[in-house]
Amino acid sequence: MPLTPEQQAEIAAARADARVTSRAISPGMEAWLHRAIPVLDHGLIRVVDYMGDDAAIVQAARVSYGQGTKTARDDAGLIRYLMRHWHSTPFEMCEIKLHVKLPVFVARQWIRHRTANVNEYSARYSILDREFYIPAPEHLAAQSRVNNQGRGELLAGAEAARVLAILREDSGRAYDHYEAMLSQDGQAGLARELARMNLPMNVYTQWYWKVDLHNLFHFLRLRADAHAQYEIRAYAEALCEVVKDWVPAAWDAFEDYRLNAVQFSGKGMEALRRMLKGETVTREDVGMSAGEWREFEGALLSNV
């Protein structure tokens, strides 16, 4: 478990401190509260707090003081309508606050989602731990030949072993130098805010991340996608399991209309209509570029 004994004791104390509340709670989320979910080799996601549930989405949509409509089916139907027609505000009524431990290079991707509140562990004031992300062999791949920001075939044999050895050696050496620069044994010691600049991108950082459900769904739509980089996708997939239990009706709608759905352009719809009429259609017939046509065909065959 990638937690210190102090963190484990803090979490155990928080879980044991059950309190009576008058606010609405989600039984599914209560089971996840304060529980550390391991991700990658040293990372984690932990739910620190949350607000709202499926009923909060329905209540906001109807601007009422009640508990939604008369039946769960009616509530689920309304949530599906909201998702289907891209109504975002009701989903913003739910929020979640997470404690996340992640490699710096993953954090740099994650922070691109600028619709959240973030407070990161400060290496200006504190000393980072000697923890680095080292990929498992099954995630050590060569550069893709067709995608400049993707992976291709797995590395194997001597090359894979050489790359892993370099990663471990460079990470350890960088941290040794970090400690040496900070040391005040016989020297003044370099300021922490300067010593940190020598650390590699695979060192672990931590932050608190608070976001509403609408923007969380946007994050998951992009980062839980099969085309997302594996390391951030691992966090997104772990978070998907939490959201399923937190707002099950909203999750079902999101999974149906966002995760498992595809979108076609006007030219794509023209091609589809002509195909359904039995016509043979080429990309030139509908004026698509080679890239557009490749993506169009991929969308058609994605679930075949």
Side-chain angles (χ1 to χ4, degrees):
M1 175 68 70
L3 290 170
T4 65
E6 293 78 11
Q7 288 174 318
Q8 291 178 358
E10 179 185 346
I11 291 171
R15 289 186 64 84
D17 185 20
R19 302 183 184 185
V20 177
T21 178
S22 296
R23 71 171 187 168
I25 65 169
S26 166
M29 181 61 101
E30 289 292 310
W32 288 104
L33 199 58
H34 303 301
R35 174 180 161 190
I37 307 165
V39 186
L40 302 181
D41 49 359
H42 301 294
L44 66 89
I45 286 178
R46 176 169 64 96
V47 180
V48 177
D49 201 359
Y50 73 98
M51 180 181 75
D53 57 3
D54 281 327
I57 301 168
V58 173
Q59 182 188 58
R62 298 197 181 283
V63 197
S64 71
Y65 294 100
Q67 296 298 314
T69 49
K70 292 184 178 180
T71 68
R73 174 180 290 183
D74 290 338
D75 285 356
L78 175 56
I79 288 172
R80 288 181 65 82
Y81 174 89
L82 297 171
M83 184 69 70
R84 187 164 65 249
H85 292 278
W86 297 85
H87 291 280
S88 60
T89 308
F91 296 100
E92 294 174 2
M93 299 300 110
C94 296
E95 292 190 345
I96 186 172
K97 181 164 69 174
L98 302 169
H99 168 209
V100 187
K101 184 178 179 183
L102 69 174
V104 166
F105 74 91
V106 176
R108 298 293 76 83
Q109 286 185 308
W110 195 312
I111 204 67
R112 293 294 299 155
H113 298 267
R114 294 167 289 176
T115 48
N117 305 114
V118 186
N119 194 56
E120 186 173 0
Y121 184 93
S122 176
R124 293 186 65 196
Y125 305 110
S126 303
I127 298 174
L128 291 167
D129 293 330
R130 185 190 282 266
E131 289 184 317
F132 304 93
Y133 170 65
I134 304 297
E138 62 267 24
H139 298 298
L140 205 63
Q143 176 63 44
S144 171
R145 297 180 183 275
V146 296
N147 183 353
N148 288 335
Q149 59 177 11
R151 304 182 190 187
E153 297 296 324
L154 289 179
L155 299 183
E159 184 176 10
R162 178 179 62 86
V163 169
L164 287 172
I166 290 173
L167 287 172
R168 294 190 181 99
E169 181 182 350
D170 284 356
S171 299
R173 181 187 297 114
Y175 197 88
D176 288 343
H177 290 163
Y178 173 63
E179 287 188 315
M181 288 186 289
L182 289 172
S183 174
Q184 295 179 328
D185 185 12
Q187 61 181 17
L190 187 64
R192 292 171 184 176
E193 66 179 25
L194 290 172
R196 62 179 174 167
M197 66 183 174
N198 199 45
L199 290 171
M201 294 285 284
N202 65 334
V203 69
Y204 272 86
T205 185
Q206 301 184 46
W207 63 30
Y208 277 78
W209 192 68
K210 182 170 73 71
V211 68
D212 66 58
L213 183 60
H214 165 64
N215 286 296
L216 176 58
F217 276 153
H218 180 65
F219 173 86
L220 295 177
R221 182 176 67 85
L222 296 175
R223 301 306 184 176
D225 185 89
H227 298 94
Q229 182 171 342
Y230 163 73
E231 284 77 14
I232 197 167
R233 191 170 75 245
Y235 284 89
E237 290 174 349
L239 194 47
C240 283
E241 297 303 313
V242 174
V243 178
K244 285 180 187 179
D245 291 339
W246 174 25
V247 282
W251 171 264
D252 285 345
F254 168 71
E255 192 173 35
D256 195 12
Y257 291 114
R258 299 290 187 271
L259 278 187
N260 296 330
V262 295
Q263 181 174 327
F264 293 106
S265 66
K267 293 177 181 179
M269 289 305 300
E270 179 188 348
L272 274 175
R273 292 188 187 100
R274 292 173 63 174
M275 288 175 174
L276 289 172
K277 291 179 182 178
E279 296 183 33
T280 299
V281 182
T282 67
R283 69 178 183 86
E284 291 83 3
D285 292 333
V286 289
M288 287 191 190
S289 68
E292 287 177 305
W293 186 255
R294 184 170 58 249
E295 292 173 6
F296 172 71
E297 290 184 316
L300 289 179
L301 300 173
S302 60
N303 293 317
V304 175

